[in-house]
Amino acid sequence: MGGRAPGNPNGNAYLLSFIGRRTRDPYNVDCQGDPYFELVLDRLVSARYLGPMGIWHREALEAQRRVVTVARRHGGRWGELEEQAIELCYRRGAH
C-alpha cells in the first residue's frame, strides 16, 4: 500500500480514514468466535503510514488462537460459519 515495500516480516501499520460500509454477514469466524467482515471502501479520505508492526502483535494473536471459545450464537449464514469454526477448531486441537 502506498508504494511502500514491506518494512519487516510482521507487516506495516496504516491509519486509514474512509467512507464505506461492511458486509452484513461475516466471511469467516475464528476459534474465539470473532467474525471477520469484508469492508467496501466507497471513498478514501486519507492514508498515513504509521511504521512497521511490532512482533508483539503476532505473538499475542498466536497465543489467543490456542483457546477455543466459539459458540453458535447467530442464525443464518453467520451461524453456519460459527458451526464450521467449532468443528474446525476442535478437530485441529486448538483448545
Side-chain angles (χ1 to χ4, degrees):
M1 176 165 194
R4 191 177 290 270
N8 66 40
N10 301 312
N12 293 304
Y14 291 86
L15 177 63
L16 302 176
S17 295
F18 63 92
I19 296 171
R21 56 206 181 298
R22 71 168 175 86
T23 55
R24 186 189 74 178
D25 293 323
Y27 66 87
N28 191 31
V29 174
D30 67 15
C31 293
Q32 287 72 51
D34 294 326
Y36 291 85
F37 295 95
E38 291 189 62
L39 297 176
V40 178
L41 186 119
D42 294 320
R43 190 176 85 208
L44 181 64
V45 176
S46 66
R48 185 169 58 119
Y49 177 69
L50 299 177
M53 290 177 58
I55 188 89
W56 65 269
H57 181 70
R58 188 181 72 207
E59 290 173 350
L61 289 176
E62 287 172 0
Q64 193 179 44
R65 287 187 188 113
R66 294 183 191 119
V67 179
V68 177
T69 57
V70 65
R72 180 151 189 168
R73 296 187 179 117
H74 298 88
R77 178 68 181 136
W78 194 333
E80 291 171 10
L81 290 169
E82 289 171 330
E83 285 290 332
Q84 289 173 10
I86 291 167
E87 290 176 28
L88 180 66
C89 296
Y90 280 108
R91 193 171 343 123
R92 274 195 286 177
H95 57 286

mmCIF file of all heavy atoms in Angstrom, residues 23-74:
data_model
loop_
_atom_site.group_PDB
_atom_site.id
_atom_site.type_symbol
_atom_site.label_atom_id
_atom_site.label_comp_id
_atom_site.label_asym_id
_atom_site.label_seq_id
_atom_site.Cartn_x
_atom_site.Cartn_y
_atom_site.Cartn_z
ATOM 1 N N THR A 23 -19.944 -5.712 5.112
ATOM 2 C CA THR A 23 -20.959 -6.674 4.717
ATOM 3 C C THR A 23 -21.820 -7.037 5.923
ATOM 4 O O THR A 23 -21.382 -6.935 7.071
ATOM 5 C CB THR A 23 -20.310 -7.943 4.144
ATOM 6 O OG1 THR A 23 -19.382 -8.460 5.093
ATOM 7 C CG2 THR A 23 -19.603 -7.654 2.835
ATOM 8 N N ARG A 24 -23.047 -7.434 5.668
ATOM 9 C CA ARG A 24 -23.963 -7.790 6.750
ATOM 10 C C ARG A 24 -23.480 -9.022 7.498
ATOM 11 O O ARG A 24 -23.476 -9.068 8.718
ATOM 12 C CB ARG A 24 -25.361 -8.041 6.188
ATOM 13 C CG ARG A 24 -26.399 -8.275 7.274
ATOM 14 C CD ARG A 24 -27.696 -8.719 6.699
ATOM 15 N NE ARG A 24 -27.508 -10.122 6.287
ATOM 16 C CZ ARG A 24 -28.436 -10.870 5.762
ATOM 17 N NH1 ARG A 24 -29.618 -10.379 5.511
ATOM 18 N NH2 ARG A 24 -28.191 -12.116 5.432
ATOM 19 N N ASP A 25 -23.110 -10.054 6.750
ATOM 20 C CA ASP A 25 -22.632 -11.295 7.351
ATOM 21 C C ASP A 25 -21.123 -11.380 7.211
ATOM 22 O O ASP A 25 -20.559 -10.904 6.233
ATOM 23 C CB ASP A 25 -23.262 -12.505 6.658
ATOM 24 C CG ASP A 25 -24.760 -12.604 6.908
ATOM 25 O OD1 ASP A 25 -25.197 -12.281 8.033
ATOM 26 O OD2 ASP A 25 -25.495 -13.000 5.990
ATOM 27 N N PRO A 26 -20.453 -12.019 8.175
ATOM 28 C CA PRO A 26 -19.001 -12.174 8.062
ATOM 29 C C PRO A 26 -18.651 -13.203 6.996
ATOM 30 O O PRO A 26 -19.483 -14.004 6.582
ATOM 31 C CB PRO A 26 -18.606 -12.683 9.452
ATOM 32 C CG PRO A 26 -19.821 -13.360 9.978
ATOM 33 C CD PRO A 26 -20.988 -12.628 9.394
ATOM 34 N N TYR A 27 -17.392 -13.177 6.555
ATOM 35 C CA TYR A 27 -16.915 -14.194 5.629
ATOM 36 C C TYR A 27 -16.200 -15.308 6.374
ATOM 37 O O TYR A 27 -15.930 -16.377 5.826
ATOM 38 C CB TYR A 27 -16.017 -13.603 4.530
ATOM 39 C CG TYR A 27 -14.704 -13.036 5.017
ATOM 40 C CD1 TYR A 27 -13.585 -13.841 5.152
ATOM 41 C CD2 TYR A 27 -14.583 -11.690 5.345
ATOM 42 C CE1 TYR A 27 -12.381 -13.330 5.603
ATOM 43 C CE2 TYR A 27 -13.387 -11.168 5.783
ATOM 44 C CZ TYR A 27 -12.285 -11.989 5.915
ATOM 45 O OH TYR A 27 -11.102 -11.473 6.370
ATOM 46 N N ASN A 28 -15.904 -15.092 7.673
ATOM 47 C CA ASN A 28 -15.224 -16.101 8.478
ATOM 48 C C ASN A 28 -15.467 -15.810 9.949
ATOM 49 O O ASN A 28 -15.709 -14.669 10.332
ATOM 50 C CB ASN A 28 -13.723 -16.098 8.172
ATOM 51 C CG ASN A 28 -12.999 -17.286 8.781
ATOM 52 O OD1 ASN A 28 -13.570 -18.359 8.930
ATOM 53 N ND2 ASN A 28 -11.748 -17.114 9.134
ATOM 54 N N VAL A 29 -15.381 -16.874 10.769
ATOM 55 C CA VAL A 29 -15.438 -16.752 12.222
ATOM 56 C C VAL A 29 -14.264 -17.552 12.760
ATOM 57 O O VAL A 29 -14.062 -18.700 12.361
ATOM 58 C CB VAL A 29 -16.771 -17.290 12.790
ATOM 59 C CG1 VAL A 29 -16.764 -17.290 14.306
ATOM 60 C CG2 VAL A 29 -17.950 -16.472 12.268
ATOM 61 N N ASP A 30 -13.465 -16.955 13.672
ATOM 62 C CA ASP A 30 -12.287 -17.660 14.172
ATOM 63 C C ASP A 30 -12.612 -18.499 15.408
ATOM 64 O O ASP A 30 -13.764 -18.585 15.832
ATOM 65 C CB ASP A 30 -11.138 -16.684 14.432
ATOM 66 C CG ASP A 30 -11.392 -15.710 15.567
ATOM 67 O OD1 ASP A 30 -12.321 -15.923 16.376
ATOM 68 O OD2 ASP A 30 -10.652 -14.716 15.663
ATOM 69 N N CYS A 31 -11.599 -19.124 15.981
ATOM 70 C CA CYS A 31 -11.785 -20.048 17.108
ATOM 71 C C CYS A 31 -12.236 -19.356 18.387
ATOM 72 O O CYS A 31 -12.645 -20.017 19.339
ATOM 73 C CB CYS A 31 -10.495 -20.834 17.358
ATOM 74 S SG CYS A 31 -10.089 -21.978 16.016
ATOM 75 N N GLN A 32 -12.159 -18.036 18.445
ATOM 76 C CA GLN A 32 -12.658 -17.295 19.594
ATOM 77 C C GLN A 32 -14.060 -16.744 19.337
ATOM 78 O O GLN A 32 -14.624 -16.056 20.168
ATOM 79 C CB GLN A 32 -11.717 -16.138 19.959
ATOM 80 C CG GLN A 32 -10.423 -16.577 20.597
ATOM 81 C CD GLN A 32 -9.494 -17.239 19.595
ATOM 82 O OE1 GLN A 32 -9.234 -16.701 18.534
ATOM 83 N NE2 GLN A 32 -9.014 -18.409 19.930
ATOM 84 N N GLY A 33 -14.609 -17.032 18.172
ATOM 85 C CA GLY A 33 -15.938 -16.546 17.825
ATOM 86 C C GLY A 33 -15.950 -15.152 17.234
ATOM 87 O O GLY A 33 -17.015 -14.571 17.027
ATOM 88 N N ASP A 34 -14.783 -14.608 16.952
ATOM 89 C CA ASP A 34 -14.711 -13.264 16.363
ATOM 90 C C ASP A 34 -15.023 -13.323 14.875
ATOM 91 O O ASP A 34 -14.406 -14.096 14.136
ATOM 92 C CB ASP A 34 -13.319 -12.653 16.567
ATOM 93 C CG ASP A 34 -13.016 -12.386 18.027
ATOM 94 O OD1 ASP A 34 -13.957 -12.053 18.775
ATOM 95 O OD2 ASP A 34 -11.840 -12.509 18.413
ATOM 96 N N PRO A 35 -15.984 -12.514 14.417
ATOM 97 C CA PRO A 35 -16.324 -12.502 12.999
ATOM 98 C C PRO A 35 -15.387 -11.603 12.203
ATOM 99 O O PRO A 35 -14.862 -10.615 12.722
ATOM 100 C CB PRO A 35 -17.745 -11.929 12.988
ATOM 101 C CG PRO A 35 -17.770 -11.025 14.174
ATOM 102 C CD PRO A 35 -16.882 -11.665 15.200
ATOM 103 N N TYR A 36 -15.176 -11.954 10.960
ATOM 104 C CA TYR A 36 -14.370 -11.150 10.047
ATOM 105 C C TYR A 36 -15.265 -10.700 8.895
ATOM 106 O O TYR A 36 -15.806 -11.534 8.179
ATOM 107 C CB TYR A 36 -13.182 -11.954 9.503
ATOM 108 C CG TYR A 36 -12.168 -12.243 10.577
ATOM 109 C CD1 TYR A 36 -12.311 -13.327 11.418
ATOM 110 C CD2 TYR A 36 -11.081 -11.391 10.775
ATOM 111 C CE1 TYR A 36 -11.401 -13.585 12.420
ATOM 112 C CE2 TYR A 36 -10.166 -11.641 11.771
ATOM 113 C CZ TYR A 36 -10.327 -12.736 12.598
ATOM 114 O OH TYR A 36 -9.430 -12.982 13.590
ATOM 115 N N PHE A 37 -15.426 -9.406 8.770
ATOM 116 C CA PHE A 37 -16.289 -8.829 7.753
ATOM 117 C C PHE A 37 -15.457 -8.265 6.617
ATOM 118 O O PHE A 37 -14.309 -7.877 6.804
ATOM 119 C CB PHE A 37 -17.120 -7.683 8.347
ATOM 120 C CG PHE A 37 -18.085 -8.128 9.405
ATOM 121 C CD1 PHE A 37 -17.747 -8.072 10.741
ATOM 122 C CD2 PHE A 37 -19.329 -8.604 9.057
ATOM 123 C CE1 PHE A 37 -18.637 -8.482 11.721
ATOM 124 C CE2 PHE A 37 -20.234 -9.016 10.027
ATOM 125 C CZ PHE A 37 -19.879 -8.959 11.356
ATOM 126 N N GLU A 38 -16.057 -8.195 5.450
ATOM 127 C CA GLU A 38 -15.432 -7.501 4.335
ATOM 128 C C GLU A 38 -15.871 -6.044 4.394
ATOM 129 O O GLU A 38 -17.018 -5.748 4.718
ATOM 130 C CB GLU A 38 -15.850 -8.113 3.005
ATOM 131 C CG GLU A 38 -15.266 -9.497 2.817
ATOM 132 C CD GLU A 38 -15.499 -10.025 1.427
ATOM 133 O OE1 GLU A 38 -14.998 -9.388 0.473
ATOM 134 O OE2 GLU A 38 -16.167 -11.046 1.310
ATOM 135 N N LEU A 39 -14.940 -5.155 4.137
ATOM 136 C CA LEU A 39 -15.247 -3.732 4.084
ATOM 137 C C LEU A 39 -15.305 -3.288 2.635
ATOM 138 O O LEU A 39 -14.463 -3.680 1.829
ATOM 139 C CB LEU A 39 -14.187 -2.918 4.825
ATOM 140 C CG LEU A 39 -14.065 -3.196 6.318
ATOM 141 C CD1 LEU A 39 -12.910 -2.398 6.901
ATOM 142 C CD2 LEU A 39 -15.351 -2.876 7.041
ATOM 143 N N VAL A 40 -16.297 -2.492 2.332
ATOM 144 C CA VAL A 40 -16.441 -1.925 0.995
ATOM 145 C C VAL A 40 -16.068 -0.458 1.099
ATOM 146 O O VAL A 40 -16.721 0.313 1.802
ATOM 147 C CB VAL A 40 -17.887 -2.081 0.472
ATOM 148 C CG1 VAL A 40 -18.025 -1.443 -0.900
ATOM 149 C CG2 VAL A 40 -18.280 -3.540 0.447
ATOM 150 N N LEU A 41 -14.984 -0.092 0.459
ATOM 151 C CA LEU A 41 -14.484 1.274 0.518
ATOM 152 C C LEU A 41 -15.111 2.080 -0.613
ATOM 153 O O LEU A 41 -14.914 1.772 -1.777
ATOM 154 C CB LEU A 41 -12.963 1.270 0.385
ATOM 155 C CG LEU A 41 -12.315 2.615 0.579
ATOM 156 C CD1 LEU A 41 -11.370 2.572 1.749
ATOM 157 C CD2 LEU A 41 -11.590 2.992 -0.684
ATOM 158 N N ASP A 42 -15.905 3.085 -0.249
ATOM 159 C CA ASP A 42 -16.515 3.946 -1.258
ATOM 160 C C ASP A 42 -15.616 5.121 -1.607
ATOM 161 O O ASP A 42 -15.519 5.513 -2.760
ATOM 162 C CB ASP A 42 -17.870 4.471 -0.771
ATOM 163 C CG ASP A 42 -18.889 3.354 -0.628
ATOM 164 O OD1 ASP A 42 -18.912 2.464 -1.494
ATOM 165 O OD2 ASP A 42 -19.662 3.373 0.342
ATOM 166 N N ARG A 43 -14.954 5.675 -0.583
ATOM 167 C CA ARG A 43 -14.050 6.800 -0.830
ATOM 168 C C ARG A 43 -12.969 6.833 0.240
ATOM 169 O O ARG A 43 -13.263 6.816 1.429
ATOM 170 C CB ARG A 43 -14.826 8.113 -0.813
ATOM 171 C CG ARG A 43 -13.957 9.272 -1.304
ATOM 172 C CD ARG A 43 -14.725 10.559 -1.391
ATOM 173 N NE ARG A 43 -14.691 11.163 -0.058
ATOM 174 C CZ ARG A 43 -15.614 11.969 0.428
ATOM 175 N NH1 ARG A 43 -16.665 12.276 -0.286
ATOM 176 N NH2 ARG A 43 -15.508 12.477 1.619
ATOM 177 N N LEU A 44 -11.728 6.876 -0.197
ATOM 178 C CA LEU A 44 -10.600 7.008 0.725
ATOM 179 C C LEU A 44 -10.411 8.480 1.046
ATOM 180 O O LEU A 44 -10.226 9.302 0.150
ATOM 181 C CB LEU A 44 -9.327 6.434 0.092
ATOM 182 C CG LEU A 44 -8.080 6.481 0.950
ATOM 183 C CD1 LEU A 44 -8.231 5.613 2.193
ATOM 184 C CD2 LEU A 44 -6.878 6.020 0.136
ATOM 185 N N VAL A 45 -10.484 8.819 2.325
ATOM 186 C CA VAL A 45 -10.331 10.208 2.750
ATOM 187 C C VAL A 45 -8.850 10.506 2.993
ATOM 188 O O VAL A 45 -8.335 11.516 2.531
ATOM 189 C CB VAL A 45 -11.172 10.483 4.020
ATOM 190 C CG1 VAL A 45 -10.946 11.887 4.526
ATOM 191 C CG2 VAL A 45 -12.648 10.233 3.745
ATOM 192 N N SER A 46 -8.171 9.612 3.728
ATOM 193 C CA SER A 46 -6.745 9.814 3.969
ATOM 194 C C SER A 46 -6.092 8.484 4.331
ATOM 195 O O SER A 46 -6.749 7.565 4.797
ATOM 196 C CB SER A 46 -6.506 10.830 5.088
ATOM 197 O OG SER A 46 -6.979 10.328 6.324
ATOM 198 N N ALA A 47 -4.782 8.412 4.117
ATOM 199 C CA ALA A 47 -3.993 7.239 4.485
ATOM 200 C C ALA A 47 -2.651 7.739 4.997
ATOM 201 O O ALA A 47 -1.998 8.546 4.352
ATOM 202 C CB ALA A 47 -3.812 6.320 3.292
ATOM 203 N N ARG A 48 -2.272 7.257 6.176
ATOM 204 C CA ARG A 48 -1.000 7.678 6.765
ATOM 205 C C ARG A 48 -0.236 6.445 7.218
ATOM 206 O O ARG A 48 -0.764 5.600 7.935
ATOM 207 C CB ARG A 48 -1.253 8.602 7.954
ATOM 208 C CG ARG A 48 0.020 9.167 8.546
ATOM 209 C CD ARG A 48 -0.266 10.277 9.526
ATOM 210 N NE ARG A 48 -1.120 9.839 10.608
ATOM 211 C CZ ARG A 48 -0.769 9.843 11.894
ATOM 212 N NH1 ARG A 48 0.403 10.303 12.254
ATOM 213 N NH2 ARG A 48 -1.595 9.418 12.818
ATOM 214 N N TYR A 49 1.018 6.346 6.794
ATOM 215 C CA TYR A 49 1.881 5.238 7.174
ATOM 216 C C TYR A 49 2.328 5.442 8.619
ATOM 217 O O TYR A 49 2.852 6.501 8.975
ATOM 218 C CB TYR A 49 3.088 5.175 6.237
ATOM 219 C CG TYR A 49 4.081 4.096 6.591
ATOM 220 C CD1 TYR A 49 3.758 2.762 6.438
ATOM 221 C CD2 TYR A 49 5.335 4.424 7.062
ATOM 222 C CE1 TYR A 49 4.662 1.763 6.759
ATOM 223 C CE2 TYR A 49 6.255 3.442 7.374
ATOM 224 C CZ TYR A 49 5.916 2.111 7.224
ATOM 225 O OH TYR A 49 6.811 1.126 7.542
ATOM 226 N N LEU A 50 2.121 4.433 9.470
ATOM 227 C CA LEU A 50 2.499 4.537 10.873
ATOM 228 C C LEU A 50 3.828 3.868 11.183
ATOM 229 O O LEU A 50 4.443 4.172 12.186
ATOM 230 C CB LEU A 50 1.408 3.928 11.762
ATOM 231 C CG LEU A 50 0.037 4.586 11.671
ATOM 232 C CD1 LEU A 50 -0.962 3.843 12.540
ATOM 233 C CD2 LEU A 50 0.101 6.058 12.057
ATOM 234 N N GLY A 51 4.253 2.940 10.341
ATOM 235 C CA GLY A 51 5.517 2.258 10.566
ATOM 236 C C GLY A 51 5.340 0.755 10.613
ATOM 237 O O GLY A 51 4.234 0.236 10.495
ATOM 238 N N PRO A 52 6.440 0.038 10.814
ATOM 239 C CA PRO A 52 6.362 -1.415 10.883
ATOM 240 C C PRO A 52 5.626 -1.866 12.147
ATOM 241 O O PRO A 52 5.741 -1.229 13.192
ATOM 242 C CB PRO A 52 7.807 -1.875 10.911
ATOM 243 C CG PRO A 52 8.655 -0.670 10.895
ATOM 244 C CD PRO A 52 7.793 0.541 10.892
ATOM 245 N N MET A 53 4.887 -2.957 12.025
ATOM 246 C CA MET A 53 4.208 -3.519 13.192
ATOM 247 C C MET A 53 5.216 -4.275 14.041
ATOM 248 O O MET A 53 6.168 -4.853 13.534
ATOM 249 C CB MET A 53 3.092 -4.462 12.748
ATOM 250 C CG MET A 53 1.937 -3.728 12.102
ATOM 251 S SD MET A 53 0.650 -4.820 11.493
ATOM 252 C CE MET A 53 0.180 -5.702 12.938
ATOM 253 N N GLY A 54 4.973 -4.293 15.322
ATOM 254 C CA GLY A 54 5.869 -4.989 16.239
ATOM 255 C C GLY A 54 5.587 -6.479 16.301
ATOM 256 O O GLY A 54 4.505 -6.948 15.968
ATOM 257 N N ILE A 55 6.542 -7.224 16.757
ATOM 258 C CA ILE A 55 6.414 -8.678 16.890
ATOM 259 C C ILE A 55 5.361 -9.035 17.928
ATOM 260 O O ILE A 55 4.717 -10.065 17.850
ATOM 261 C CB ILE A 55 7.784 -9.306 17.241
ATOM 262 C CG1 ILE A 55 7.713 -10.832 17.197
ATOM 263 C CG2 ILE A 55 8.250 -8.877 18.603
ATOM 264 C CD1 ILE A 55 8.003 -11.403 15.874
ATOM 265 N N TRP A 56 5.141 -8.184 18.913
ATOM 266 C CA TRP A 56 4.173 -8.470 19.977
ATOM 267 C C TRP A 56 2.792 -8.743 19.418
ATOM 268 O O TRP A 56 2.052 -9.567 19.945
ATOM 269 C CB TRP A 56 4.101 -7.319 20.975
ATOM 270 C CG TRP A 56 3.563 -6.063 20.349
ATOM 271 C CD1 TRP A 56 4.272 -5.068 19.752
ATOM 272 C CD2 TRP A 56 2.194 -5.698 20.216
ATOM 273 N NE1 TRP A 56 3.441 -4.107 19.255
ATOM 274 C CE2 TRP A 56 2.156 -4.464 19.530
ATOM 275 C CE3 TRP A 56 0.993 -6.281 20.608
ATOM 276 C CZ2 TRP A 56 0.961 -3.822 19.226
ATOM 277 C CZ3 TRP A 56 -0.186 -5.623 20.303
ATOM 278 C CH2 TRP A 56 -0.190 -4.412 19.626
ATOM 279 N N HIS A 57 2.429 -8.087 18.345
ATOM 280 C CA HIS A 57 1.095 -8.262 17.779
ATOM 281 C C HIS A 57 0.915 -9.694 17.283
ATOM 282 O O HIS A 57 -0.076 -10.345 17.598
ATOM 283 C CB HIS A 57 0.884 -7.261 16.640
ATOM 284 C CG HIS A 57 -0.469 -7.347 16.018
ATOM 285 N ND1 HIS A 57 -1.598 -6.955 16.675
ATOM 286 C CD2 HIS A 57 -0.861 -7.804 14.822
ATOM 287 C CE1 HIS A 57 -2.647 -7.164 15.894
ATOM 288 N NE2 HIS A 57 -2.219 -7.670 14.769
ATOM 289 N N ARG A 58 1.863 -10.218 16.554
ATOM 290 C CA ARG A 58 1.777 -11.582 16.040
ATOM 291 C C ARG A 58 1.787 -12.589 17.182
ATOM 292 O O ARG A 58 1.018 -13.540 17.197
ATOM 293 C CB ARG A 58 2.920 -11.857 15.068
ATOM 294 C CG ARG A 58 2.760 -13.212 14.365
ATOM 295 C CD ARG A 58 3.891 -13.508 13.433
ATOM 296 N NE ARG A 58 5.065 -13.806 14.243
ATOM 297 C CZ ARG A 58 6.312 -13.620 13.849
ATOM 298 N NH1 ARG A 58 6.573 -13.139 12.671
ATOM 299 N NH2 ARG A 58 7.319 -13.918 14.632
ATOM 300 N N GLU A 59 2.647 -12.389 18.184
ATOM 301 C CA GLU A 59 2.722 -13.309 19.317
ATOM 302 C C GLU A 59 1.428 -13.308 20.113
ATOM 303 O O GLU A 59 0.958 -14.355 20.564
ATOM 304 C CB GLU A 59 3.897 -12.944 20.217
ATOM 305 C CG GLU A 59 5.241 -13.237 19.588
ATOM 306 C CD GLU A 59 6.394 -12.717 20.417
ATOM 307 O OE1 GLU A 59 6.157 -11.970 21.384
ATOM 308 O OE2 GLU A 59 7.541 -13.064 20.090
ATOM 309 N N ALA A 60 0.816 -12.149 20.296
ATOM 310 C CA ALA A 60 -0.445 -12.059 21.035
ATOM 311 C C ALA A 60 -1.544 -12.800 20.284
ATOM 312 O O ALA A 60 -2.345 -13.513 20.888
ATOM 313 C CB ALA A 60 -0.831 -10.606 21.249
ATOM 314 N N LEU A 61 -1.586 -12.657 18.979
ATOM 315 C CA LEU A 61 -2.599 -13.360 18.183
ATOM 316 C C LEU A 61 -2.389 -14.865 18.234
ATOM 317 O O LEU A 61 -3.350 -15.625 18.345
ATOM 318 C CB LEU A 61 -2.568 -12.876 16.736
ATOM 319 C CG LEU A 61 -3.096 -11.464 16.487
ATOM 320 C CD1 LEU A 61 -2.904 -11.088 15.023
ATOM 321 C CD2 LEU A 61 -4.556 -11.359 16.876
ATOM 322 N N GLU A 62 -1.153 -15.325 18.170
ATOM 323 C CA GLU A 62 -0.878 -16.762 18.218
ATOM 324 C C GLU A 62 -1.283 -17.346 19.566
ATOM 325 O O GLU A 62 -1.865 -18.429 19.632
ATOM 326 C CB GLU A 62 0.599 -17.026 17.938
ATOM 327 C CG GLU A 62 0.969 -16.822 16.478
ATOM 328 C CD GLU A 62 2.456 -16.891 16.219
ATOM 329 O OE1 GLU A 62 3.230 -17.096 17.174
ATOM 330 O OE2 GLU A 62 2.846 -16.734 15.053
ATOM 331 N N ALA A 63 -1.025 -16.645 20.650
ATOM 332 C CA ALA A 63 -1.414 -17.121 21.979
ATOM 333 C C ALA A 63 -2.933 -17.163 22.111
ATOM 334 O O ALA A 63 -3.492 -18.093 22.702
ATOM 335 C CB ALA A 63 -0.813 -16.218 23.057
ATOM 336 N N GLN A 64 -3.589 -16.192 21.562
ATOM 337 C CA GLN A 64 -5.043 -16.116 21.630
ATOM 338 C C GLN A 64 -5.696 -17.254 20.851
ATOM 339 O O GLN A 64 -6.729 -17.777 21.246
ATOM 340 C CB GLN A 64 -5.497 -14.767 21.080
ATOM 341 C CG GLN A 64 -6.936 -14.428 21.357
ATOM 342 C CD GLN A 64 -7.288 -13.076 20.787
ATOM 343 O OE1 GLN A 64 -6.922 -12.765 19.657
ATOM 344 N NE2 GLN A 64 -7.981 -12.282 21.561
ATOM 345 N N ARG A 65 -5.106 -17.670 19.759
ATOM 346 C CA ARG A 65 -5.667 -18.719 18.909
ATOM 347 C C ARG A 65 -5.663 -20.086 19.583
ATOM 348 O O ARG A 65 -6.311 -21.002 19.112
ATOM 349 C CB ARG A 65 -4.901 -18.803 17.594
ATOM 350 C CG ARG A 65 -5.189 -17.667 16.667
ATOM 351 C CD ARG A 65 -4.526 -17.904 15.310
ATOM 352 N NE ARG A 65 -4.651 -16.722 14.512
ATOM 353 C CZ ARG A 65 -3.650 -15.944 14.139
ATOM 354 N NH1 ARG A 65 -2.414 -16.246 14.477
ATOM 355 N NH2 ARG A 65 -3.843 -14.867 13.421
ATOM 356 N N ARG A 66 -4.934 -20.256 20.647
ATOM 357 C CA ARG A 66 -4.833 -21.569 21.282
ATOM 358 C C ARG A 66 -6.093 -21.957 22.046
ATOM 359 O O ARG A 66 -6.299 -23.111 22.341
ATOM 360 C CB ARG A 66 -3.629 -21.580 22.221
ATOM 361 C CG ARG A 66 -2.326 -21.455 21.478
ATOM 362 C CD ARG A 66 -1.144 -21.548 22.414
ATOM 363 N NE ARG A 66 0.054 -21.174 21.701
ATOM 364 C CZ ARG A 66 0.829 -20.157 22.019
ATOM 365 N NH1 ARG A 66 0.561 -19.422 23.067
ATOM 366 N NH2 ARG A 66 1.892 -19.868 21.305
ATOM 367 N N VAL A 67 -6.936 -21.020 22.406
ATOM 368 C CA VAL A 67 -8.124 -21.290 23.192
ATOM 369 C C VAL A 67 -9.358 -21.208 22.300
ATOM 370 O O VAL A 67 -9.554 -20.228 21.604
ATOM 371 C CB VAL A 67 -8.245 -20.261 24.348
ATOM 372 C CG1 VAL A 67 -9.487 -20.529 25.159
ATOM 373 C CG2 VAL A 67 -7.007 -20.307 25.223
ATOM 374 N N VAL A 68 -10.184 -22.257 22.326
ATOM 375 C CA VAL A 68 -11.416 -22.271 21.538
ATOM 376 C C VAL A 68 -12.560 -21.788 22.417
ATOM 377 O O VAL A 68 -12.872 -22.399 23.434
ATOM 378 C CB VAL A 68 -11.724 -23.679 20.991
ATOM 379 C CG1 VAL A 68 -13.041 -23.680 20.238
ATOM 380 C CG2 VAL A 68 -10.596 -24.163 20.114
ATOM 381 N N THR A 69 -13.162 -20.679 22.037
ATOM 382 C CA THR A 69 -14.295 -20.141 22.790
ATOM 383 C C THR A 69 -15.490 -19.859 21.889
ATOM 384 O O THR A 69 -16.467 -19.273 22.338
ATOM 385 C CB THR A 69 -13.897 -18.841 23.529
ATOM 386 O OG1 THR A 69 -13.406 -17.906 22.573
ATOM 387 C CG2 THR A 69 -12.838 -19.103 24.580
ATOM 388 N N VAL A 70 -15.425 -20.285 20.637
ATOM 389 C CA VAL A 70 -16.518 -20.037 19.698
ATOM 390 C C VAL A 70 -17.736 -20.865 20.081
ATOM 391 O O VAL A 70 -17.615 -21.981 20.568
ATOM 392 C CB VAL A 70 -16.083 -20.329 18.240
ATOM 393 C CG1 VAL A 70 -15.765 -21.787 18.032
ATOM 394 C CG2 VAL A 70 -17.148 -19.867 17.260
ATOM 395 N N ALA A 71 -18.914 -20.294 19.923
ATOM 396 C CA ALA A 71 -20.180 -20.981 20.145
ATOM 397 C C ALA A 71 -21.166 -20.479 19.097
ATOM 398 O O ALA A 71 -21.000 -19.379 18.557
ATOM 399 C CB ALA A 71 -20.706 -20.685 21.546
ATOM 400 N N ARG A 72 -22.177 -21.273 18.827
ATOM 401 C CA ARG A 72 -23.196 -20.820 17.868
ATOM 402 C C ARG A 72 -24.113 -19.840 18.582
ATOM 403 O O ARG A 72 -24.811 -20.202 19.528
ATOM 404 C CB ARG A 72 -23.983 -21.988 17.322
ATOM 405 C CG ARG A 72 -25.024 -21.484 16.338
ATOM 406 C CD ARG A 72 -25.358 -22.442 15.286
ATOM 407 N NE ARG A 72 -26.196 -21.754 14.296
ATOM 408 C CZ ARG A 72 -26.479 -22.242 13.142
ATOM 409 N NH1 ARG A 72 -25.989 -23.404 12.802
ATOM 410 N NH2 ARG A 72 -27.238 -21.586 12.305
ATOM 411 N N ARG A 73 -24.069 -18.582 18.128
ATOM 412 C CA ARG A 73 -24.863 -17.519 18.746
ATOM 413 C C ARG A 73 -25.774 -16.815 17.749
ATOM 414 O O ARG A 73 -26.578 -15.997 18.139
ATOM 415 C CB ARG A 73 -23.933 -16.485 19.385
ATOM 416 C CG ARG A 73 -23.124 -17.051 20.524
ATOM 417 C CD ARG A 73 -22.353 -15.949 21.246
ATOM 418 N NE ARG A 73 -21.612 -16.528 22.330
ATOM 419 C CZ ARG A 73 -20.297 -16.533 22.431
ATOM 420 N NH1 ARG A 73 -19.562 -15.959 21.508
ATOM 421 N NH2 ARG A 73 -19.696 -17.092 23.454
ATOM 422 N N HIS A 74 -25.591 -17.108 16.472
ATOM 423 C CA HIS A 74 -26.333 -16.404 15.431
ATOM 424 C C HIS A 74 -27.063 -17.403 14.534
ATOM 425 O O HIS A 74 -26.719 -18.569 14.480
ATOM 426 C CB HIS A 74 -25.390 -15.542 14.581
ATOM 427 C CG HIS A 74 -24.716 -14.474 15.361
ATOM 428 N ND1 HIS A 74 -23.527 -14.682 16.024
ATOM 429 C CD2 HIS A 74 -25.068 -13.192 15.607
ATOM 430 C CE1 HIS A 74 -23.171 -13.565 16.638
ATOM 431 N NE2 HIS A 74 -24.090 -12.641 16.402
#
